[in-house]
């Protein structure tokens, strides 16, 4: 009934002693990284250009909040990547057609992935837990295209296409070599078409009609690439 006290704000201020818990882990860690990007572009004419980009990226490490053993309560490391991209952007047909194309190559190191793994609890019962792990090294390469066509002042057509090849180069999970497996949630092909029409209603404004269709290839949902872990 006296509200918060200063001791309530102190780290690890738990009413019960560590001995009351099956797992008691007290540790800390920190991660930092300097990232950068270089871009060069060349104008082919007033309406088109090509470009090249090299960039690095960083995702901080951390702790699995739902860990169930001393081993899985340890911190996972930061994820880093290097990306090279070459592309083209241009406008045609009196700026009624916009076309963007890009090819890319990305290398990921210490990939952070969530994975469900089995473990045996203190009562000898085998169950499962979700943990974050560093999934080794993977390489992603692909192609992307975006095209927008203003067919008339009221009609616009949009098209997008993406191709991705993403596999683990190095990945060992609990002694199992998963190198060469497809990286989860990395469909090989994605594309979509959208048609938008603006219908003018005189002084009452505009009514917009839109129809779109999207396709995505089957993808893996598990790093093990098991027979029944695909989504389509």
């Amino acid at each position: 009934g006296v509200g918060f006290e200063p001791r309530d704000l102190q780290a690890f201020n738990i009413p019960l002693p560590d001995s009351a818990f099956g797992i008691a882990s007290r540790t800390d860690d920190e991660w930092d990284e300097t990232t950068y990007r270089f871009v060069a572009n060349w104008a082919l004419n007033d309406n088109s250009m090509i470009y090249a980009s090299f960039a690095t990226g960083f995702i901080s490490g951390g702790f699995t909040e739902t860990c169930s053993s001393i081993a899985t309560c340890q911190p996972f490391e930061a994820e880093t990547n290097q990306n090279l991209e070459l592309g083209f952007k241009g406008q045609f047909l009196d700026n009624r057609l916009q076309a963007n194309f890009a090819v890319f190559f990305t290398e990921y190191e210490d990939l952070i992935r969530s994975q469900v793994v089995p473990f045996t609890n203190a009562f000898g019962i085998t169950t499962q837990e979700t943990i974050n792990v560093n999934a080794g090294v993977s390489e992603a390469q692909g192609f992307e295209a975006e095209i927008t066509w203003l067919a008339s002042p009221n009609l616009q057509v949009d098209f997008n296409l993406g191709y991705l090849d993403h596999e683990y180069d190095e990945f060992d999970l609990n002694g199992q070599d998963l190198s060469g497996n497809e990286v989860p949630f990395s469909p090989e092909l994605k594309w979509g078409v959208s048609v938008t029409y603006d219908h003018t209603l005189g002084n009452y404004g505009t009514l917009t009609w839109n129809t779109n269709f999207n396709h995505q290839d089957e993808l893996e949902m598990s790093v093990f690439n098991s027979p029944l872990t695909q989504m389509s």
Side-chain angles (χ1 to χ4, degrees), residues 127-160:
T127 180
Q128 62 186 23
E129 63 176 333
T130 301
I131 62 173
N132 290 326
V133 298
N134 290 107
V137 177
S138 74
E139 290 185 353
Q141 50 198 340
F143 168 83
E144 293 180 343
E146 296 178 341
I147 297 176
T148 298
W149 176 40
L150 189 61
S152 73
N154 301 88
L155 179 64
Q156 177 175 309
V157 180
D158 296 280
F159 173 76
N160 63 82

Side-chain angles (χ1 to χ4, degrees), residues 83-208:
N83 173 265
L84 176 63
E85 181 177 330
L86 304 175
F88 167 86
K89 296 180 184 290
Q91 292 182 325
F92 310 93
L93 304 177
D94 294 327
N95 296 331
R96 292 187 293 110
L97 179 67
Q98 172 74 45
N100 302 328
F101 304 100
V103 293
F104 63 88
F105 174 83
T106 306
E107 182 181 65
Y108 299 90
E109 296 184 354
D110 292 323
L111 275 165
I112 299 173
R113 288 291 182 267
S114 295
Q115 185 59 44
V116 177
V117 297
F119 83 100
T120 302
N121 63 25
F123 301 99
I125 299 175
T126 299
T127 180
Q128 62 186 23
E129 63 176 333
T130 301
I131 62 173
N132 290 326
V133 298
N134 290 107
V137 177
S138 74
E139 290 185 353
Q141 50 198 340
F143 168 83
E144 293 180 343
E146 296 178 341
I147 297 176
T148 298
W149 176 40
L150 189 61
S152 73
N154 301 88
L155 179 64
Q156 177 175 309
V157 180
D158 296 280
F159 173 76
N160 63 82
L161 170 69
Y163 170 79
L164 175 65
D165 178 20
H166 193 189
E167 295 182 350
Y168 290 111
D169 281 0
E170 302 174 13
F171 187 15
D172 181 90
L173 182 61
N174 296 332
Q176 184 175 356
D177 185 8
L178 302 178
S179 302
N181 280 13
E182 294 183 16
V183 177
F185 305 103
S186 300
E188 186 175 62
L189 182 66
K190 295 178 66 175
W191 61 271
V193 178
S194 174
V195 179
T196 303
Y197 183 79
D198 292 327
H199 188 171
T200 302
L201 301 177
N203 297 328
Y204 298 98
T206 302
L207 179 63
T208 299

Side-chain angles (χ1 to χ4, degrees), residues 10 21-22 35 42 45 55 60 65-66 74-75 80 95 101 141 153 159 163 176 186 189 193 201 205-206 210 214:
Q10 297 176 6
F21 299 91
T35 60
W42 179 43
N45 51 50
S60 178
E65 296 181 358
T66 57
Q74 300 306 308
T80 60
N95 296 331
F101 304 100
Q141 50 198 340
F159 173 76
Y163 170 79
Q176 184 175 356
S186 300
L189 182 66
V193 178
L201 301 177
T206 302
N210 175 264
N214 296 280

